[in-house]
Amino acid sequence: MIKHQLIVVGGGLAGMTAAVIAAKKGIDVGVVSLTHPVRSHSTAAQGGINAALKNHPKGKEDSWERHAFDTVKGADYLADQDAVEIYAKMAPDIVRMTEHWGVPYSRFEDGSIAQRPFGGAAFPRTAFAADRTGHALMHAAFEQGVKYGVKVYEDRPVVRLVVRDKQVKGVIALNLVTGELEAYMADAVIITTGGYGQVFAKTTNTIHNTGFGMAIAFWTGVPLKDMEFVQFHPTTLYGTNLLISEAARGEGGYLINNKGERFMKKYAPEKMELGPRDIVARAIQTEINEGRGFENEYVHLDLRHLGKEKILKRLPQIRELALKFAGVDMIYEPVPIQPGQHYSMGGIDTDKDAKTIIKGLYAAGEAACVSVHGANRLGGNSLLECVVFGKIAGENAAKYIKEEKPDNSDAEKAINEELEDAKKWIEGLRNANGPNDPFEILYTLKNTMTQKVGVFRKEEDLKEAVETIRELKRKFYEEGIYLKNRDKCFNRELERVIYLQGMLDIAECIAYGALERKESRGAHYRVDYPKRDDKNWLKHSLYWFQGYGKPVKMDFKPVTITKWQPQERKY
Ligand SMILES: Cc1cc2nc3c(=O)[nH]c(=O)nc-3n(C[C@H](O)[C@H](O)[C@H](O)COP(=O)(O)OP(=O)(O)OC[C@H]3O[C@@H](n4cnc5c(N)ncnc54)[C@H](O)[C@@H]3O)c2cc1C
């Protein structure tokens, strides 16, 4: 059995930040991760990280209060305002901390960190390293991990969390190289496994973003929160749904329909292309649905007027992506784009201290729901969340370990019991010989989510989605599935089937929550309930596990409001 004081599950930006901060406080930290840290989805982040640095000539009046207000308004008032205040206040120092880690931020002429405008923000507030901000942050965070002696275990997806009497004891991971399960004991655990984009057919997320880390917490009785709020990014490349960063619009790009119109003037006359993502995604989808798109599938993102020099300097990566994956050179041609799943506003229910309801268990980053993004996240606010709440989780876990000295005398016994149980489960899956092809279940699930639980939602579609998902769960659990590959070493088929089990529950939470929430708020748009309804629905949704294969249960909890009373949202 491997022992560390703290285990961080997942090596993305939130995970490495938490690990570095705890290690700096003298804690012995192990990161158990599906991929090597720099292969996490955070590395793909393009556009930037928000903070009221006031470096931009048009941003001198910016402040943390204004950043907090924009975040709360962007969130359609579902964010917890106490958490947003902490977050926006910490932002400038967080950017400076990462600068000291070595992030090569782009600069203004005077040497200060450059900032660009992003959607839903009153001032240009997004700091960036060209359009490779996540790459730069992730490498710097990993280097800090090396410096402070963080031990990384890669190619080891965590498949179980061990909890006894509402206290965390450790985790069980599958070593993909040997095919064996490994046990890890710890006083505290932080889950930072990222989002669930792979639950949808069209997503900007990597293949690793299955939401499985949320599922393992859910299965031990931790509630998930606000799962019906799924961000659809307005501009994903037609064909592959690779992300074309909001930075393209931040630098001045236009959205154009088949009539040659900049149609955003109808939907957000003041902010135009820089409206918040939910509004821009709905505008694009409306243009397509009403016949003003191209081939009934996409609209154009036109950057030609920016000129070659600016595109090569500020947007080199997305130019390369469009060139390689769509054969379009944005210097000379408009880029075909459509909305696609991008970000999970919901996740593991945590408070502003990154704590869950289990003692010693924390969560941060996209896997968690604090909530600072409420019903809709603003661009540039997620990288910030990873570092802010990664840091808070690392600090609080360190404090808990040092000050509360958790009693883990029964941990070894508990972990060994769980290990034996998990072995039976994994062997059962590896040798499964039931009638159903798990990949048929997976693709039916993904297509159902994209077709029925997308940008525009309605009762009959959502009912159908929930029924389909419950039927898929019945096939998986009652009828059973079969595996063709029974190898141990890098059995990718087995790995997918393990995640599928979590994805079925995650998808059910999203679809069921969307069906239950009879209003439109942020990214959750019901054509049959097009208005926000604060009287009945200004509350967080919570989802509870009822048993494997059983329907999820839902209840609610209040939203924290400090300074900003809900108002109508106009841009
Ligand atoms: C293409 C793209 C561009 C983006 N651009 C921006 C941007 O410019 N600005 C911004 O603010 N936000 C952006 N976002 C959002 C932001 O990048 C993410 O929300 C954020 O990076 C998530 O970080 P994370 O640390 O929570 O998770 P991730 O970076 O997804 O890392 C998750 C980690 O967990 C590991 N893992 C997964 N499952 C398991 C398991 N079961 N056991 C163990 N380990 C596991 C993975 O291997 C990985 O190491 C972008 C997102 C995408 C997809």
Side-chain angles (χ1 to χ4, degrees):
M1 189 171 305
I2 300 161
K3 293 181 187 172
H4 287 279
Q5 285 176 294
L6 171 65
I7 290 286
V8 178
V9 183
L13 185 59
M16 285 313 293
T17 303
V20 166
I21 297 292
K24 272 177 91 167
K25 293 193 174 295
I27 300 292
D28 161 36
V29 188
V31 172
V32 186
S33 185
L34 163 56
T35 63
H36 185 279
V38 301
R39 294 186 61 93
S40 303
H41 189 64
S42 295
T43 305
Q46 300 172 352
I49 175 166
N50 293 341
L53 295 168
K54 304 193 233 189
N55 292 348
H56 195 286
K58 288 188 188 148
K60 300 295 172 200
E61 306 291 306
D62 204 3
S63 62
W64 76 260
E65 288 94 338
R66 193 57 223 228
H67 182 187
F69 171 72
D70 289 345
T71 302
V72 168
K73 180 180 171 191
D76 222 347
Y77 295 90
L78 194 73
D80 285 320
Q81 297 181 11
D82 52 349
V84 176
E85 287 186 32
I86 295 171
Y87 161 83
K89 251 186 229 170
M90 279 172 72
D93 280 343
I94 286 291
V95 171
R96 286 189 278 269
M97 178 180 90
T98 58
E99 185 192 20
H100 293 162
W101 283 359
V103 173
Y105 282 107
S106 297
R107 304 275 161 179
F108 284 132
E109 291 282 297
D110 67 359
S112 62
I113 293 176
Q115 291 181 285
R116 55 165 58 123
F118 250 48
F123 299 103
R125 186 183 289 140
T126 307
F128 56 95
D131 59 353
R132 300 189 182 101
T133 315
H135 180 98
L137 278 163
M138 206 53 251
H139 280 76
F142 177 65
E143 284 164 14
Q144 292 295 307
V146 174
K147 176 173 170 188
Y148 288 102
V150 170
K151 170 97 178 131
V152 175
Y153 303 86
E154 65 194 76
D155 290 324
R156 287 168 175 87
V158 169
V159 295
R160 287 244 178 132
L161 190 64
V162 186
V163 172
R164 291 289 184 275
D165 302 323
K166 294 208 167 251
Q167 185 185 329
V168 79
K169 304 288 167 185
V171 302
I172 312 278
L174 177 67
N175 182 330
L176 292 175
V177 182
T178 62
E180 301 296 337
L181 289 171
E182 290 174 352
Y184 296 79
M185 184 175 144
D187 289 337
V189 172
I190 307 178
I191 299 185
T192 59
T193 46
Y196 54 59
Q198 284 300 325
V199 164
F200 287 79
K202 290 183 180 178
T203 176
T204 64
N205 286 194
T206 64
I207 193 165
H208 308 302
N209 290 123
T210 59
F212 193 69
M214 297 179 193
I216 57 173
F218 182 62
W219 292 335
T220 61
V222 180
L224 301 182
K225 186 162 80 197
D226 293 344
M227 295 295 280
E228 63 272 39
F229 297 100
V230 179
Q231 180 158 82
F232 298 92
H233 197 289
T235 61
T236 76
L237 194 62
Y238 173 58
T240 53
N241 298 104
L242 285 168
L243 183 74
I244 300 295
S245 169
E246 192 165 313
R249 283 169 290 135
E251 295 294 347
Y254 298 152
L255 290 168
I256 308 281
N257 64 16
N258 70 11
K259 303 213 162 351
E261 297 161 338
R262 269 180 83 189
F263 55 84
M264 281 312 298
K265 63 178 183 277
K266 280 188 288 187
Y267 303 92
E270 270 182 42
K271 290 264 172 202
M272 295 292 287
E273 280 83 359
L274 286 178
R277 288 182 177 169
D278 56 338
I279 291 175
V280 183
R282 281 197 290 277
I284 295 172
Q285 199 60 52
T286 304
E287 293 296 304
I288 296 169
N289 292 353
E290 294 181 356
R292 292 184 295 280
F294 299 89
E295 300 178 49
N296 285 328
E297 293 274 8
Y298 58 86
V299 296
H300 279 156
L301 174 66
D302 198 343
L303 298 160
R304 288 174 294 182
H305 56 286
L306 300 183
K308 186 173 176 182
E309 197 189 334
K310 192 165 187 186
I311 291 176
L312 291 181
K313 191 161 173 217
R314 290 289 177 82
L315 305 166
Q317 176 175 244
I318 58 167
R319 173 179 176 250
E320 200 180 318
L321 287 177
L323 201 55
K324 287 196 175 143
F325 290 90
V328 171
D329 187 342
M330 56 174 64
I331 297 174
Y332 308 107
E333 296 159 281
V335 186
I337 55 91
Q338 63 178 189
Q341 193 284 346
H342 180 59
Y343 183 80
S344 321
M345 265 80 72
I348 298 168
D349 177 32
T350 65
D351 63 12
K352 61 182 177 13
D353 300 319
K355 285 185 185 148
T356 70
I357 60 167
I358 303 289
K359 247 177 99 183
L361 181 68
Y362 303 77
E366 197 170 334
C369 179
V370 179
S371 139
V372 288
H373 309 304
N376 173 60
R377 171 177 78 85
L378 296 183
N381 261 358
S382 173
L383 290 176
L384 177 64
E385 180 195 15
C386 288
V387 188
V388 167
F389 289 98
K391 181 166 186 278
I392 290 176
E395 278 167 1
N396 286 335
K399 198 164 158 214
Y400 167 77
I401 293 165
K402 281 185 182 167
E403 291 177 13
E404 292 192 36
K405 300 194 173 47
D407 171 20
N408 247 348
S409 48
D410 61 344
E412 241 176 280
K413 182 168 165 276
I415 293 171
N416 280 330
E417 279 169 15
E418 197 86 22
L419 186 62
E420 285 313 306
D421 195 57
K423 275 185 189 159
K424 282 187 207 137
W425 166 51
I426 298 287
E427 280 316 300
L429 285 179
R430 200 197 313 274
N431 297 306
N433 232 338
N436 294 302
D437 177 351
F439 291 91
E440 227 173 273
I441 297 182
L442 177 66
Y443 287 104
T444 308
L445 180 74
K446 287 162 77 85
N447 289 328
T448 303
M449 293 303 284
T450 285
Q451 286 157 15
K452 309 280 176 193
V453 201
V455 176
F456 291 108
R457 301 167 168 183
K458 58 178 190 283
E459 182 97 5
E460 64 214 68
D461 283 354
L462 294 169
K463 268 196 179 140
E464 217 181 293
V466 172
E467 276 163 25
T468 305
I469 296 163
R470 289 188 178 156
E471 173 59 17
L472 294 176
K473 279 170 77 164
R474 197 190 61 75
K475 283 188 170 169
F476 189 100
Y477 286 99
E478 288 176 29
E479 292 179 1
I481 47 127
Y482 62 83
L483 252 68
K484 291 194 214 89
N485 180 356
R486 306 203 190 277
D487 289 350
K488 285 201 143 184
C489 176
F490 276 108
N491 187 336
R492 293 293 191 193
E493 189 178 342
L494 172 67
E495 195 193 341
R496 290 285 122 201
V497 170
I498 295 171
Y499 303 151
L500 174 60
Q501 204 166 332
M503 290 164 82
L504 287 164
D505 278 344
I506 298 290
E508 190 186 346
C509 293
I510 299 168
Y512 183 57
L515 173 65
E516 288 298 296
R517 188 173 279 271
K518 296 188 172 40
E519 66 157 353
S520 291
R521 183 184 295 275
H524 170 65
Y525 192 87
R526 291 279 304 249
V527 290
D528 40 1
Y529 299 93
K531 291 245 156 20
R532 193 175 83 197
D533 174 2
D534 287 339
K535 192 162 154 267
N536 296 304
W537 289 102
L538 182 56
K539 55 188 177 187
H540 295 295
S541 311
L542 288 183
Y543 302 86
W544 301 86
F545 179 60
Q546 300 271 84
Y548 294 107
K550 302 245 167 66
V552 302
K553 195 180 111 189
M554 194 176 170
D555 62 12
F556 301 96
K557 81 178 201 185
V559 173
T560 308
I561 295 190
T562 56
K563 289 194 174 80
W564 301 283
Q565 287 305 317
Q567 302 165 3
E568 196 194 339
R569 221 169 134 239
K570 279 200 191 134
Y571 288 94

